[in-house]
């Protein structure tokens, strides 16, 4: 009988398996330590803290307040007025640069008294003949002196006499001499004559004020503007108020200005 082969078991402790991989001699995790202490990748990932999602509630913005009709009306009115003022200012500035207007000049050349006496009822009746020179110094501006003027002579608030200027047109750089007759009647004439005599004795002169309110129209080239008023105030110092005698005007000054 053939010899049976005997199979002897290998000693696992002494025999090395050539095909088996080399086993690590150092343990992966030392004793007494955890995997996270050695930088476990899974443990080094930092997750954001948990946040509770709160639903967003979209609130509607408050409705815009509509401008009232009154507010819009005032805004439009103010804008139109401002535009109108700017346009008028532009036109006025252009006209001023083109025509260069100047105020007329007034002067009192002479004064003659033809009547200055008391009446039966103690009122004072006076008639003055005044010579006025009006000058237009403008090169391109004419002046229409309209009707409705008023000229008067005053002494310390008392109206002695009044009258009006004639209607006429004064051209460019024109000088016009006007003879104006003024007449009037004043109550309590005796008291007024006494005051005039005292004034004459104290100062040697008698102060009179001549006032002129004259409506005019200005002509710029061929353009005739709206009616305005000239206001003239003249101060006179005369030597006496004797009738039918030469009266000397010692001082005379006139101020001229527009008045709408």
């Amino acid at each position: 009988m053939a010899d049976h082969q005997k199979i002897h078991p290998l000693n696992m402790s002494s025999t090395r398996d050539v095909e088996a991989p080399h086993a690590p001699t150092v343990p992966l995790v030392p004793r007494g330590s955890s995997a996270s202490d050695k930088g476990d990748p899974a443990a080094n990932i930092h997750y954001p803290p948990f946040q509770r999602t709160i639903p967003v509630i979209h609130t509607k913005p408050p409705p815009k307040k509509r401008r009232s009709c009154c507010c819009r009306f005032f805004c439009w009115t103010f804008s139109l007025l401002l535009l109108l003022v700017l346009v008028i200012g532009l036109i006025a500035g252009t006209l001023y640069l083109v025509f260069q207007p100047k105020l007329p000049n007034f002067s009192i050349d002479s004064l003659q008294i033809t009547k200055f006496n008391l009446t039966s009822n103690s009122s004072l009746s006076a008639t003055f003949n005044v010579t006025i020179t009006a000058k237009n110094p403008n090169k391109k501006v004419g002046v229409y002196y309209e009707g409705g003027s008023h000229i008067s002579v005053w002494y310390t608030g008392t109206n002695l006499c009044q009258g009006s200027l004639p209607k006429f047109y004064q051209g460019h750089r024109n000088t016009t001499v006007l003879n104006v007759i003024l007449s009037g009647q004043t109550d309590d004439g005796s008291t007024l004559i006494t005051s005039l005599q005292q004034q004459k004795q104290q100062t040697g002169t008698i102060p009179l004020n001549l006032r002129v309110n004259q409506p005019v129209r200005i002509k710029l080239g061929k353009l005739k503007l709206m009616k305005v008023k000239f206001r003239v105030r003249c101060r006179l110092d005369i030597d006496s108020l004797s009738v039918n005698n030469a009266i000397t005007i010692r001082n005379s000054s006139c101020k001229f200005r527009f008045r709408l």
Side-chain angles (χ1 to χ4, degrees):
M1 185 171 182
D3 295 334
H4 294 282
Q5 296 181 354
K6 294 181 179 181
I7 300 173
H8 300 281
L10 296 176
N11 188 359
M12 297 300 294
S13 62
S14 62
T15 305
R16 294 178 62 186
D17 188 358
V18 179
E19 300 295 331
H22 179 69
T25 59
V26 180
L28 294 178
V29 179
R31 294 179 180 179
S33 63
S34 62
S36 62
D37 295 336
K38 294 300 180 178
D40 186 3
N44 290 333
I45 299 176
H46 297 283
Y47 294 98
F50 175 75
Q51 296 181 354
R52 183 180 179 184
T53 304
I54 300 176
V56 179
I57 301 176
H58 298 280
T59 58
K60 294 183 179 181
K64 295 182 179 180
K65 295 182 179 180
R66 295 182 179 180
R67 294 182 178 181
S68 62
C69 297
C70 185
C71 181
R72 284 181 289 179
F73 171 76
F74 282 117
C75 290
W76 278 104
T77 303
F78 177 77
S79 300
L80 291 176
L81 289 177
L82 181 60
L83 180 61
L84 181 61
V85 170
L86 292 176
V87 171
I88 293 176
L90 180 61
I91 294 174
T94 303
L95 292 176
Y96 181 83
L97 293 176
V98 172
F99 294 97
Q100 297 180 355
K102 299 177 182 178
L103 290 174
N105 297 323
F106 268 49
S107 62
I108 309 300
D109 297 334
S110 64
L111 174 64
Q112 183 181 4
I113 299 177
T114 58
K115 185 178 181 181
F116 196 79
N117 54 7
L118 292 173
T119 62
S120 57
N121 58 357
S122 298
S123 62
L124 178 64
S125 180
T127 302
F128 289 8
N129 188 356
V130 184
T131 302
I132 301 173
T133 298
K135 295 181 180 180
N136 179 14
N138 295 280
K139 297 179 181 179
K140 301 178 181 180
V141 180
V143 182
Y144 288 94
Y145 285 78
E146 303 285 345
S149 65
H150 185 265
I151 179 172
S152 57
V153 176
W154 296 72
Y155 169 74
T156 62
T158 302
N159 187 0
L160 300 178
C161 52
Q162 58 274 339
S164 61
L165 297 177
K167 293 177 60 176
F168 66 99
Y169 171 74
Q170 191 172 34
H172 308 156
R173 289 192 168 182
N174 176 265
T175 299
T176 304
V177 178
L178 305 171
N179 293 317
V180 183
I181 298 177
L182 310 176
S183 61
Q185 191 167 344
T186 306
D187 296 334
D188 197 7
S190 58
T191 303
L192 180 58
I193 290 179
T194 302
S195 175
L196 290 169
Q197 291 174 351
Q198 291 176 354
Q199 180 71 37
K200 170 67 175 176
Q201 293 175 358
Q202 292 175 1
T203 62
T205 59
I206 299 174
L208 297 179
N209 292 316
L210 188 142
R211 303 177 184 178
V212 180
N213 293 323
Q214 174 66 51
V216 298
R217 289 184 182 272
I218 306 300
K219 184 180 180 183
L220 302 177
K222 295 183 179 180
L223 179 63
K224 192 174 181 181
L225 302 183
M226 65 178 185
K227 184 183 294 187
V228 295
K229 283 188 178 182
F230 284 165
R231 184 177 178 180
V232 185
R233 296 294 181 264
C234 298
R235 169 67 183 265
L236 306 175
D237 290 330
I238 61 177
D239 60 347
S240 66
L241 288 173
S242 58
V243 179
N244 297 325
N245 289 328
I247 296 176
T248 302
I249 300 176
R250 296 186 178 180
N251 295 310
S252 175
S253 62
C254 295
K255 294 182 179 180
F256 200 104
R257 60 182 176 180
F258 281 106
R259 182 183 178 186
L260 296 178

